[in-house]
Amino acid sequence: MADRSMGTPHLGPSPAAAAAEGAGDMDPVEYILRKRLPHKLPRRKNDIYINMKTDFKAQLGRCQKMLEAGGFSEICIHGLGLAINRAINIALQLQAASFGALRIAANTSTVELVDDLEPELDEAEAVTRTRNNSAIHIKVFLALPKGERVEPLNPCN
């Protein structure tokens, strides 16, 4: 294994190999890693799940459309893992474009994900592995005019 302090690359096993290794005394080459879809929160009409496959501008436009023409005074943006940065960026873009009319409140959580290790040969047994991943839930809502009472924030509930 290479020394990380010297800036040289890490030469350890691949993530699929490490997953199979953690599942017991298996040869990682004989297994295929299949990631299951994460459990989602109950889907409401004002929930938006951000991912890394859809174009950023399309996701931002969808959020703007829901706030402007969709008749919603608040939306909840959800991001998981790598999509957390994109979810935060979308919320901040919405807030900046509103000239102070929108506020944001963020809440983080940990989501349990399940992976299946399927054997390439029929002789071996399939293995299931769980792992944790970070998530963010951002409530984007219209700011109240001065003088109105603000309720305590409980994002996305």
Side-chain angles (χ1 to χ4, degrees):
M1 209 176 266
D3 183 13
R4 290 177 184 234
S5 64
M6 302 302 283
T8 56
H10 173 68
L11 300 175
S14 68
E21 211 174 273
D25 296 329
M26 300 182 281
D27 184 5
V29 178
E30 296 176 0
Y31 285 83
I32 299 171
L33 177 64
R34 303 240 187 252
K35 296 180 178 183
R36 292 186 195 174
L37 291 174
H39 293 288
K40 291 189 178 181
L41 296 172
R43 183 141 172 100
R44 299 170 292 194
K45 291 184 178 183
N46 62 339
D47 281 337
I48 298 173
Y49 289 89
I50 303 300
N51 62 44
M52 295 302 291
K53 292 182 180 180
T54 307
D55 182 57
F56 178 82
K57 286 185 179 182
Q59 291 175 338
L60 179 62
R62 182 170 172 227
C63 293
Q64 289 172 332
K65 184 178 176 184
M66 287 183 78
L67 285 168
E68 294 169 2
F72 295 107
S73 61
E74 69 180 39
I75 61 172
C76 193
I77 300 172
H78 304 277
L80 177 67
L82 190 60
I84 289 175
N85 287 339
R86 181 173 281 196
I88 292 169
N89 195 359
I90 287 174
L92 291 173
Q93 293 283 331
L94 291 169
Q95 186 181 36
S98 72
F99 300 107
L102 292 176
R103 304 269 171 138
I104 56 176
N107 187 20
T108 59
S109 66
T110 302
V111 177
E112 189 173 88
L113 302 174
V114 180
D115 296 335
D116 294 320
L117 293 166
E118 298 176 355
E120 289 184 355
L121 305 173
D122 293 335
E123 302 164 358
E125 188 175 316
V127 178
T128 302
R129 180 189 69 162
T130 59
R131 60 188 169 91
N132 292 325
N133 206 345
S134 300
I136 192 162
H137 315 281
I138 307 169
K139 181 178 176 181
V140 180
F141 57 97
L142 290 173
L144 296 174
K146 290 185 179 179
E148 289 191 32
R149 188 172 184 272
V150 176
E151 297 178 23
L153 297 177
N154 190 0
C156 302
N157 287 338

